[in-house]
Amino acid sequence: MRPGAAPAAVLVSLSLLALGAGRPSAPLPDRMADTGGGTQLITAVAPGPGSTTGTVTWWDREDGRWVAAGSAPARFGANGLVEGTVRRQGTNTTPTGLYGMPYAFGIEAAPRGTAYTYRPVRRDSWWCQDGGSRSYNRWTEPRAADCRAAEAERLTDYRAQYAHALVIGFNYHRPVRGRGAGIFLHVNGRGATAGCVSVPRTAMRKILRWADPARDPHIAIGTGSGRTAITRH
């Protein structure tokens, strides 16, 4: 081949590669293995497993494609993220995976337009994290007799965080004792969470007005790459 010359086929291939390089990548949900089967999805993505911050985006499936409806900065567990299937309770890690969202709750009234079942928090509202209780990983009101107060959250103690929240279905339908309890999408507190995902209050209110249980929304939690990559869900 003459120096500086290239066959026409090579030039065409290089041109196509250049064109492809300028194309935007597919929306994140299109790159995921599973989105839950509904037409709404929340993605919570951290840069890596040791991260305590990242981004939450909520998506609508419209005319066969995923479109971002909004996004907000997010916070994760103080000790980062870990695969949900191996998580241990009390580790301050956020479980990665794809989960349903059974219902919403809050100390404050639901934002106008909320379609989700929204449970008001009262003085005797607790979330049981006691592995020896029949109410493990469940709301209990009042606190169940077999659920120790030291192993439960009185929801009114977290006025900022639980102003509004969505229950994340991690370890919820068939709870494994010791894997973890009380994982929510809730309003930011002062810093990283104990394992939940949190967003600013304005974003949480937007999400509650947006979420439609008839569209079967799920939340996918993961990292940008690696074993806990959100695209593996």
Side-chain angles (χ1 to χ4, degrees):
M1 185 186 298
R2 198 171 67 245
V10 173
L11 293 173
V12 170
S13 297
L14 290 173
S15 297
L16 291 174
L17 286 171
L19 287 171
R23 292 173 185 163
S25 60
L28 176 57
D30 285 337
R31 291 180 274 126
M32 292 170 55
D34 187 8
T35 57
T39 57
Q40 285 189 329
L41 178 71
I42 298 173
T43 55
V45 185
S51 303
T52 59
T53 60
T55 304
V56 158
T57 306
W58 48 105
W59 306 80
D60 288 305
R61 184 90 174 156
E62 298 177 352
D63 298 323
R65 57 193 293 267
W66 287 102
V67 179
S71 66
R75 296 175 182 172
F76 298 97
N79 288 322
L81 298 85
V82 69
E83 291 181 72
T85 54
V86 299
R87 183 186 186 269
R88 302 304 299 169
Q89 187 163 316
T91 55
N92 289 342
T93 53
T94 298
T96 64
L98 178 68
Y99 307 105
M101 295 178 290
Y103 61 92
F105 68 89
I107 293 172
E108 297 181 13
R112 187 183 299 275
T114 299
Y116 249 84
T117 298
Y118 191 90
R119 191 166 186 175
V121 174
R122 300 183 176 90
R123 287 193 308 169
D124 58 353
S125 301
W126 294 73
W127 196 276
C128 183
Q129 300 177 357
D130 188 338
S133 173
R134 289 174 295 178
S135 299
Y136 180 66
N137 203 17
R138 288 292 186 274
W139 181 299
T140 174
E141 190 176 296
R143 179 171 53 83
D146 67 347
C147 182
R148 294 168 291 169
E151 298 294 330
E153 278 191 351
R154 183 165 57 186
L155 300 180
T156 53
D157 289 348
Y158 302 90
R159 300 200 66 84
Q161 294 93 323
Y162 298 157
H164 305 293
L166 271 163
V167 176
I168 294 175
F170 165 73
N171 201 32
Y172 185 79
H173 296 290
R174 295 182 179 177
V176 175
R177 313 284 167 161
R179 182 155 292 168
I183 301 298
F184 313 126
L185 173 62
H186 63 67
V187 176
N188 283 341
R190 293 183 177 179
T193 73
C196 296
V197 179
S198 74
V199 293
R201 184 177 183 275
T202 53
M204 192 68 227
R205 290 177 64 86
K206 288 178 182 178
I207 290 169
L208 285 172
R209 286 192 291 263
W210 160 85
D212 181 356
R215 297 179 63 185
D216 194 20
H218 284 65
I219 183 168
I221 305 169
T223 55
S225 61
R227 290 177 57 87
T228 52
I230 196 167
T231 51
R232 296 176 62 130
H233 302 324

